[in-house]
Amino acid sequence: MPPYSGAQKQQIAQFVNFTQAKDTVAAKFLKSARWNVQEAIDAYFQSPQGGGASNSAINAIFDTYLDSPAEDPDTIGIDGAMKFFGDIQVQLDEVTCLGIAELLKSPSMGEFTREGFLNGWRSVGCDTLDKMIAHASDIRSRIPTQPELFRRVYRYTFPLCRMQGQRNLPFEIASEQWNLFFTPDHGGIAWNTTTTPWLDWWVEFLEARGKRPVNKDLWEQVEVFMRKTREDEAFGWWSEDGAWPGALDEFVEWVGKKRGGWRLSR
């Protein structure tokens, strides 16, 4: 492959961005410049502008985990996904697993598309298993300490775990995920404190309400509520006029009763 100047890489970037190197004119231009189309694309993506990762290398890794290469060459299924997680040293019962799913835009649990796999790993400059292992380890360390990352992964988990054709999460699945995200054992954040078993009480409260399905708004606001209670367990921030889901309004009153008739300070 010939060396590429900054100007040449800029030209390649323009063709990749606007024509994906499929346009006939673009292909002829590259050919006249003695550039192989795939090599040109790889050169672009190995440049800083392209994220520093090789398309072909990531695609090759993807291909090794295909469950049915002939029937579905662009999808890694459950068997391949489990092997891949094992190879990048990620356990299936840790939040990091969901962090990788969010990065690669998995359409459902245990499934990767070629497009999501390629775009995700390319965006963080990972085109070898060693780099992917290192990035997974980095995600593992950052999820509990970076609220924005935690929230992004947490919110992505809702559509990821939702059953096909359903708008809400079954209570059992939501409860399982809350126990993952809101305990430190598997890479989450501790919601239970020395004075209040928040997570335990929240699950107990919902069980008493009949284990109703959890909608998107409640799912997202629980994470916000969790952070608020960690900051101030006395609910100094709480307002009945706030736009909280009804279940959380009821939970606040329920907590007051659990505390022996404790009432909110208005």
Side-chain angles (χ1 to χ4, degrees):
M1 183 190 305
Y4 295 97
S5 67
Q8 288 173 326
K9 287 182 178 179
Q10 185 176 8
Q11 289 176 316
I12 294 170
Q14 290 173 345
F15 281 112
V16 171
N17 289 337
F18 296 110
T19 70
Q20 301 299 307
K22 293 178 181 178
D23 182 79
T24 302
V25 175
K28 287 181 178 179
F29 178 87
L30 293 171
K31 184 176 180 181
S32 69
R34 293 186 299 174
W35 294 346
N36 175 274
V37 172
Q38 186 59 53
E39 288 180 346
I41 294 173
D42 284 348
Y44 167 66
F45 284 115
Q46 288 170 17
S47 72
Q49 296 89 344
S54 164
N55 261 19
S56 57
I58 299 172
N59 272 315
I61 292 173
F62 182 89
D63 289 340
T64 64
Y65 295 97
L66 289 171
D67 293 4
S68 305
E71 298 178 6
D72 196 351
D74 293 316
T75 303
I76 294 175
I78 185 66
D79 291 338
M82 290 178 65
K83 185 177 187 304
F84 175 70
F85 278 122
D87 288 348
I88 63 170
Q89 300 175 17
V90 171
Q91 301 297 315
L92 300 180
D93 61 346
E94 64 171 321
V95 180
T96 307
C97 180
L98 297 166
I100 296 297
E102 188 276 332
L103 172 68
L104 306 184
K105 296 299 178 281
S106 299
S108 62
M109 290 294 289
E111 181 180 350
F112 298 120
T113 65
R114 184 180 297 275
E115 180 182 14
F117 194 92
L118 179 62
N119 291 340
W121 287 124
R122 190 175 63 205
S123 72
V124 293
C126 294
D127 53 10
T128 68
L129 280 178
D130 284 344
K131 290 179 182 179
M132 293 173 186
I133 291 170
H135 189 75
S137 179
D138 180 60
I139 288 179
R140 182 179 292 111
S141 67
R142 289 190 294 117
I143 284 176
T145 60
Q146 295 185 359
E148 289 186 5
L149 175 60
F150 184 98
R151 180 165 295 175
R152 191 170 73 240
V153 174
Y154 175 84
R155 292 191 171 187
Y156 190 80
T157 299
F158 183 85
L160 185 69
C161 292
R162 191 172 50 193
M163 294 182 178
Q164 187 173 6
Q166 299 296 313
R167 298 186 60 175
N168 300 327
L169 279 184
F171 169 79
E172 289 75 15
I173 293 178
S175 177
E176 178 181 301
Q177 296 305 318
W178 281 323
N179 275 283
L180 190 66
F181 276 100
F182 299 149
T183 61
D185 298 344
H186 300 284
I189 297 174
W191 191 9
N192 287 342
T193 68
T194 56
T195 58
T196 308
W198 292 104
L199 176 60
D200 298 341
W201 279 4
W202 173 241
V203 173
E204 180 186 342
F205 166 74
L206 292 180
E207 288 176 341
R209 290 177 87 241
K211 301 182 179 180
R212 304 175 193 175
V214 176
N215 63 32
K216 181 180 179 182
D217 183 46
L218 179 58
W219 174 263
E220 294 184 352
Q221 291 304 310
V222 166
E223 185 265 344
V224 178
F225 185 89
M226 177 272 295
R227 293 193 181 277
K228 290 287 188 180
T229 54
R230 278 166 53 91
E231 294 170 2
D232 177 8
E233 296 192 77
F235 289 111
W237 46 271
W238 180 264
S239 170
E240 290 182 336
D241 298 326
W244 296 97
L248 287 173
D249 285 324
E250 294 175 24
F251 180 60
V252 171
E253 295 301 324
W254 188 89
V255 168
K257 294 177 181 178
K258 289 286 271 189
R259 286 174 167 174
W262 168 89
R263 291 290 181 269
L264 291 174
S265 56
R266 305 299 185 192

